[in-house]
Amino acid sequence: MPEHILVAVAWPYANGPRHIGHVAGFGVPADIFARYHRLRGNRVLMVSGTDEHGTPITLVADKEGTTPQAIADRYNKIIGDDLYNLGLSYDIFTRTTTSNHYAVTQDIFRTLYERGYIVRRETLGAFSATTGRTLPDRYIEGTCPLCGYDEARGDQCDQCGSQLDPTDLINPRSKVDGQPPIFKPTEHFFLDLPAFAEQLHRWIEQQGHWRPNVRNFSLNFLKDLKPRAITRDLEWGVPIPLPEYANRDDKKIYVWFDAVIGYLSASIEWAHNSGQPDAWREWWQNPGARHFYFMGKDNIVFHTVIWPAMLLGYGAGGHYGATSDERFAGVPLQLPYNVVSSEFLTMEGKKFSSSRGIVIYVNDFLSRYDADALRYFLTIAGPENQDTDFTWAEFVRRNNDELVATWGNLVNRTLTNVYKNFGSVPQPGHLTVADEQVLAEVTDGIETVGNLLATARFKAALSEAMRLAAQVNIYLSEQEPWKVIKSDRDRAATIWYVALRCVDTLKIIFTPFLPFSSQRLHEYLGYDGYIAGPLYFRDITEADGRTHRVLTGDYEQWVGRWEASALPVGQVLRQPQPLFKKLDESVVEEELARMQSRALR
C-alpha cells in the first residue's frame, strides 16, 4: 500500500543567492529522499519556497534603493533557477508573498489567539542604532551569559542550546553594522510555548528514530522554554489579522512564524493548482502520513519545538482544519515524523561568508561543473552527521577517483563494448557461479540501499552503491570479455549481458543521487520515458490577479521503479557517451585564485 510522504524542505531566504552550504543542508538530501520514495511508488508531496519577509530583505532593499518586493522577486527567480538546475524535484516551490500564504498564516494566528495560545506582552524591542529599524534576533550577536560562547545569537546559543533574548546577551552587537542595538519598550504578541512544554516533552521523548543531535538538542531546549515573540515593528510582513491592526502598517507577523506555516500553505496551494482543493488533507490530516523535514542544524528547534507547538494549538480547528470530509473531520494536523538536520559545511577551512568572499554560489558552481558532480560530493562528503569542509582539491579527487573512475568507468566500458560488438542487449548463455553471484549482489542492493535511504542515511547509501559498482568492475576485470570475445563470442555475450543487467539495476539505485546522468544512461540503454525528470516552471494567477512562478514536475509519469533490472534481450541500445567529465588538476589553483580575488574586493 503506497504511503503518503510529506517532504518539507527548509525555505531559503530571498535576500541573496544561495551557496552550496545551503543546498547541502536543505536541498540535496531532501531531493534524494523524495526521489527514492517516488521510485518506491509512494505518494510524495515535496514542498517549499522562498522566505520573503522580515528585516534582512528590507536591509538589502534600503542598500540598493529599491523595494522589499523587488528584492524578493529578484532572488525568488535566482534561487528557483538554481534549484531547477540542481534537479530538486519539488511538487511545488512557491513563495511566502502569495495571498494564499497570507490567508493560511492569518488563520493560524487568529485560531491560536482565540484559544489563548497567543498573548500580548510589553517587551524591549531591539532596533538598529544607524537605521532605526527593528533588528531580528538572529541579527544580534553577543556572549552567551550561560556558557560564555561569544557568537551566541539573540534567540539561542548554538553551543549550549539555551533559549535567549537579545537583552540576555553580554555585549550585544548588530551583525549589520557592529553597533550595540538600542532597546525600546514595545508591545508584541507572544506564542505561549510553555503551555505546550509537557506535551512536547512526551512527544520528543518517543522519537527514538530521530538523529541523536536533533533529539538531544530539542530536549535541552525544552528545559528553559519561554514565550516567544511572533510580531515585530516592521512594515514588511504578513498583517496581523485583528481589527485594531486593520489600518496599521507598523507591526507585522514575524518571519519565523510565517515561514514554518509555509509547509502547510504550500501544500494547500499545490492542491488548488492541481484542481483538487482538498487533496492536501491526504498528507496533513491522514494519520498514516509521515512528515519529514529537512534543514541545517541552526533551524532544529523551529521544527521540533515551535512548529509542533503551533500545530498542537491549532489542532483540527480554524478555517483550514475544518472539513465536511468524514475521513478527516476532527482529525488534527499531523506533527513531524522525522526532522532530518544536517550539520554545517565550511569552505577551505573557513565559515561561508558572502561579505568576506568565502562563498561558492550554486549558480556560479553550476556554470562550470555538472550538477551530478556537486550532488555526489555533497552526499558522499557532506555534513550529514558532522561539520565537514569543502575543498577544491577534495572535490576534484572525489570526482575523478570515485565518480569517474568507478561508476563512470563501469558504464562507459560496458555500453561502449556492447554497442560496438552487438548493438543491442545480447542473448546470454549458461550463467556461471561468478555471473550469478554478481547479479545477486547488485540485486540485493535494491533492498540494502533502499533501507539506508528510508532512514535518511544518505552517505552510507551512496557508499554502498559505489561499492556495488566497484564489485561489477572487479567482475569484468576478472572475466575479461574484451579478450574472451576473440575466441568465444557466446561467452563474451553472456558476460556483457550480466554487466548490462548490473548497470541497469545500478541506474535505478543511483537515480536519487545522480538524476541527470541516470536519465541519460536510461536512454543509452534503449529505454524511453523519464525516471528522473523533467522539472518545469508554471505561472500561477491568484484570485487578486497577481501572478507568481512555481517550480514543479509531472512525477506520476515516471517509468522507473525501485526494483532490479528486467532489461529485455534484444533491446536496441543508443550510442553511449561518457556520463561524467574528468577534471584537470589545474581546477584547484584556478578556483582558489577565484576565491582569493573575491575576498580582495
Side-chain angles (χ1 to χ4, degrees), residues 333-354:
L333 301 181
Q334 294 298 298
L335 296 177
Y337 172 76
N338 202 352
V339 177
V340 185
S341 166
S342 299
E343 302 295 300
F344 289 148
L345 185 73
T346 55
M347 177 181 170
E348 299 288 347
K350 300 175 182 177
K351 185 177 180 181
F352 276 94
S353 172
S354 300

Side-chain angles (χ1 to χ4, degrees), residues 40-77:
R40 282 291 304 269
N42 289 326
R43 296 189 62 190
V44 173
L45 182 58
M46 180 170 165
V47 300
S48 189
T50 43
D51 185 3
E52 299 182 355
H53 293 124
T55 301
I57 285 179
T58 64
L59 292 173
V60 176
D62 287 347
K63 183 178 179 180
E64 297 190 10
T66 187
T67 64
Q69 187 67 61
I71 296 299
D73 290 345
R74 180 198 307 168
Y75 290 115
N76 169 266
K77 183 180 187 309

